[in-house]
């Protein structure tokens, strides 16, 4: 069994679906000129995937797929299915690792931003603690001055 290219498998599929076609009819299904179909048919006939039959005229060639051709089509479909699952699995695992990496990056960014916010909060608290005695003494002075105004009978405007 020789390996065929994708176009030859396409020709086999057309012949399988529409047995008894001539090269001109096959060229219409495959969107290729008849001379290209004829050149591809020689390798298919040589490998016994297709057999030649007589059409309406004695000189009109028609093609029919053989048992070897059917087996080649089944093998090709199985091979394509295997490649599909191989590629699917490969891409799945790559996407999974990429997703995990992105999630880890997002979590680390959130943790970093939270730590920055906490650090900023701690700085503010430290500044408040440092300024509290100063503010306390100033507020004490204000309270003292209020008391002295009240003792002297002067009221503050509010």
């Amino acid at each position: 069994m020789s390996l065929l290219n994708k176009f030859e498998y396409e020709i086999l599929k057309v012949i399988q679906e529409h047995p008894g076609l001539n090269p001109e009819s096959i060229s219409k299904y495959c969107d290729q000129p008849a001379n290209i179909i004829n050149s591809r048919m020689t390798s298919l006939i040589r490998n016994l995937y297709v057999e030649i039959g007589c059409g309406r005229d004695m000189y009109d060639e028609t093609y029919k797929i053989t048992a070897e051709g059917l087996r080649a089509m089944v093998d090709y479909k199985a091979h394509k299915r295997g490649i599909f699952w191989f590629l699917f699995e490969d891409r799945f695992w790559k996407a999974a690792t990429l997703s995990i990496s992105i999630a880890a990056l997002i979590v680390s960014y959130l943790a970093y931003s939270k730590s920055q916010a906490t650090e900023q909060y701690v700085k503010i608290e430290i500044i408040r603690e440092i300024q509290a005695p100063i503010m306390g003494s100033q507020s004490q002075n204000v309270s003292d001055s209020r008391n002295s105004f009240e003792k002297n009978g002067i009221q503050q405007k509010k």
Side-chain angles (χ1 to χ4, degrees):
M1 181 198 282
S2 69
L3 295 176
L4 304 175
N5 63 27
K6 189 175 181 179
F7 182 62
E8 290 170 336
Y9 282 113
E10 184 180 338
I11 293 172
L12 278 177
K13 183 179 177 186
V14 168
I15 294 172
Q16 179 185 8
E17 291 172 354
H18 309 284
L21 291 177
N22 57 13
E24 289 79 26
S25 301
I26 295 172
S27 68
K28 290 177 186 174
Y29 284 104
C30 296
D31 295 330
Q32 294 290 329
N35 60 353
I36 293 177
I37 301 293
N38 279 332
S39 66
R40 299 295 179 144
M41 291 305 292
T42 55
S43 69
L44 292 173
I45 293 168
R46 188 179 330 118
N47 292 321
L48 303 174
Y49 294 137
V50 175
E51 62 184 19
I52 301 173
C54 290
R56 294 178 204 108
D57 278 341
M58 185 169 210
Y59 301 106
D60 190 23
E61 292 181 342
T62 59
Y63 299 108
K64 182 181 170 190
I65 195 165
T66 63
E68 287 289 324
L70 290 173
R71 269 189 253 128
M73 288 295 294
V74 169
D75 291 344
Y76 178 68
K77 288 177 184 175
H79 179 69
K80 277 181 62 174
R81 193 174 22 248
I83 288 175
F84 169 78
W85 286 111
F86 173 77
L87 290 175
F88 176 78
E89 182 182 7
D90 183 52
R91 290 176 183 154
F92 172 78
W93 288 116
K94 285 180 182 177
T97 55
L98 183 64
S99 300
I100 290 169
S101 299
I102 289 172
L105 185 63
I106 290 170
V107 167
S108 66
Y109 175 76
L110 292 174
Y112 174 75
S113 63
K114 178 68 176 171
S115 71
Q116 291 297 316
T118 304
E119 182 179 338
Q120 190 68 21
Y121 177 75
V122 168
K123 286 180 183 177
I124 291 170
E125 288 297 317
I126 291 172
I127 290 171
R128 282 184 185 166
E129 286 180 10
I130 291 172
Q131 291 178 349
I134 296 170
M135 296 295 282
S137 64
Q138 288 176 353
S139 65
Q140 184 65 33
N141 291 338
V142 170
S143 297
D144 290 342
S145 63
R146 274 190 195 153
N147 290 337
S148 67
F149 283 137
E150 289 174 0
K151 286 180 187 175
N152 297 329
I154 304 172
Q155 292 194 352
Q156 287 183 332
K157 296 179 182 176
K158 291 186 181 183

